[in-house]
Amino acid sequence: MDFSLPADLVAYLTELDLFIEREIKPLEAVDDNIRFFDHRREWARTDFENGGLPRHEWEALLRKAKDLADAAGHLRFAVPKQYGGKNGSNLWMAVIREHFAAKGLGLHNDLQNEHSIVGNFPVATMLDRYGRDDQKAMIDGSIKGKYRITFGLTEPNHGSDATHMEARAVPATRDNVKGWIINGEKMWTTGMHVATHCALFARTSGNDGDARGITCFLVPATSHGVKIEEYMWTFNMPTDHPRVSFTDVFVPEDALFGEDGRGLSLAQCFVHQNRIRQAASSLGAAVYCINESVKYARERKPFGKALAENQAIQFPLVELATQAEMLRLLIRKTAWEMDKLTEEQIERTLSDRVSMCNYWANRLCCESADRAMQVHGGMGYSRHKPFEHIYRHHRRYRITEGSEEIQIRKVAGFLFGYMGPGKH
């Protein structure tokens, strides 16, 4: 069994590194753009006088980097070839995302908002797999920024348990047009401040707790009755995570996204891709923290003796490095297996491994960032080092983004036999 990376993947990592040095680093350095990544990053990114939203200059810089990557053929790597991509696999994406995150903060890759010069486009995957032809036509625009489709699943009273959502959609006719009327609220609908649409999930049939009966709709953000109620300030600012209300929102029949009553299939399509790739990024961020700690411990010599000579410094970093090596194998093996399965097969037979990767990578990243702050002493806790930024972001992941407890519950479901093969 050969665990080495394919030669063409290694070559592509080198190509990406050269592109970063040639195109992205100069853009990062010009016009004091480094302010978005050094100790000023939170203030530079956040318009505190405008609800804590991202500053226009920050989002414009990210768009400029994406456009450079798109022109070079990198941004759409994971997108199907018919939309200008390279059919990049989950395995390749996992390796690339770890590689990028291990470089530290930079315009090439920013975990706080999922920005990367090799894009992660789960909504494009949803459109390709479940959309009608007219909806698939939105894929190119969603990559270029013409369309921004947010994800409306979580609710104020129903976070990780989407099957008990309170949002409802009922058939209706307005001005001789058949469609649906939607009422409900959604939380953490990231990007709603610039959204053109919300992929909104609402119950159309069945009972609370049923997986069937939940339907997805592409709701135009400017629809009458759509209102941003508040922006939720978070560990890491800026925030683009609002609570949004939908009051008697009418959408025509062609707003239906996927099959009536089978909306959770779209949601699973979104989260499986996101969670394995997020795990790889979290691993990369952990590796960055570990490597920086080792480097500093070898250089720093308090009282004339290198920190690296102390077992109290060595042993915790050895433990973290060991966990990182083991996790890397699990992530790559899981991603490789995902590439051979359909979404339904992944949910039935492999989603426990995706959950293992996700929750353990986030935990490892938090522990590695915390250890890096301790090793670096006072400077480790200052914003002149990125460790507090990394810690806060991944602590937020552990709480919200497929929260750790929910991931562990899924693993337990497979382990104790009430989920998994034959249970769907």
Side-chain angles (χ1 to χ4, degrees), residues 338-355:
M338 289 174 67
D339 289 327
K340 300 185 291 183
L341 302 175
T342 65
E343 286 301 326
E344 291 74 16
Q345 290 171 330
I346 292 172
E347 174 63 18
R348 189 171 65 253
T349 65
L350 197 63
S351 60
D352 62 326
R353 302 305 169 92
V354 177
S355 292

Side-chain angles (χ1 to χ4, degrees), residues 349-403:
T349 65
L350 197 63
S351 60
D352 62 326
R353 302 305 169 92
V354 177
S355 292
M356 288 178 185
C357 295
N358 184 272
Y359 91 80
W360 194 257
N362 289 333
R363 182 182 293 186
L364 176 64
C365 188
C366 285
E367 293 176 357
S368 299
D370 183 66
R371 176 58 56 180
M373 286 188 275
Q374 295 179 50
V375 171
H376 283 76
M379 286 302 293
Y381 286 92
S382 79
R383 297 194 178 190
H384 290 263
K385 295 290 183 180
F387 307 126
E388 54 79 31
H389 179 87
I390 294 171
Y391 176 86
R392 284 188 290 140
H393 175 64
H394 289 272
R395 189 69 184 95
R396 190 267 290 179
Y397 263 166
R398 290 180 67 180
I399 298 170
T400 62
E401 198 80 13
S403 62

Side-chain angles (χ1 to χ4, degrees), residues 62-278:
L62 298 179
R63 184 69 255 171
K64 188 175 292 186
K66 286 185 175 73
D67 290 343
L68 288 173
D70 203 12
H74 301 309
L75 184 68
R76 306 183 190 215
F77 171 80
V79 175
K81 288 184 178 180
Q82 63 264 37
Y83 307 114
K86 299 180 180 179
N87 286 334
S89 68
N90 283 301
L91 173 60
W92 279 50
M93 282 294 286
V95 173
I96 290 168
R97 287 173 69 87
E98 180 194 339
H99 181 74
F100 279 179
K103 288 177 175 290
L105 301 184
L107 188 53
H108 66 288
N109 190 75
D110 195 281
L111 301 181
Q112 184 181 3
N113 53 17
E114 280 295 318
H115 162 77
S116 179
I117 60 168
V118 176
N120 185 32
F121 300 112
V123 170
T125 303
M126 290 166 60
L127 289 168
D128 177 48
R129 293 184 181 176
Y130 297 98
R132 302 184 307 270
D133 288 344
D134 60 309
Q135 292 169 335
K136 291 179 181 180
M138 301 174 70
I139 292 176
D140 183 70
S142 70
I143 295 170
K144 290 181 177 178
K146 177 182 177 181
Y147 300 114
R148 175 67 186 269
I149 302 173
T150 65
F151 196 66
L153 182 65
T154 302
E155 297 186 353
N157 296 321
H158 304 282
S160 299
D161 182 9
T163 63
H164 284 81
M165 67 175 58
E166 296 175 30
R168 294 291 186 269
V170 296
T173 300
R174 280 190 180 175
D175 299 325
N176 296 319
V177 176
K178 290 184 177 181
W180 304 78
I181 290 180
I182 303 172
N183 282 279
E185 279 195 330
K186 296 295 176 180
M187 290 276 285
W188 312 112
T189 43
T190 304
M192 198 68 185
H193 67 299
V194 292
T196 58
H197 298 78
C198 176
L200 184 143
F201 295 82
R203 184 166 291 284
T204 54
S205 63
N207 301 312
D208 288 345
D210 291 345
R212 294 288 183 94
I214 293 172
T215 303
C216 187
F217 300 89
L218 277 182
V219 179
T222 56
S223 298
H224 181 73
V226 177
K227 181 182 179 182
I228 295 175
E229 299 288 350
E230 62 177 326
Y231 283 97
M232 313 304 295
W233 286 38
T234 58
F235 280 175
N236 289 67
M237 294 293 282
T239 179
D240 57 355
H241 314 296
R243 176 171 61 88
V244 184
S245 62
F246 299 81
T247 305
D248 294 331
V249 176
F250 177 80
V251 293
E253 286 185 324
D254 63 6
L256 186 67
F257 187 12
E259 293 183 44
D260 182 5
R262 299 294 298 274
L264 287 187
S265 295
L266 281 75
Q268 292 293 351
C269 171
F270 184 100
V271 299
H272 281 143
Q273 271 198 6
N274 249 19
R275 287 175 180 166
I276 193 65
R277 295 173 184 180
Q278 178 196 316

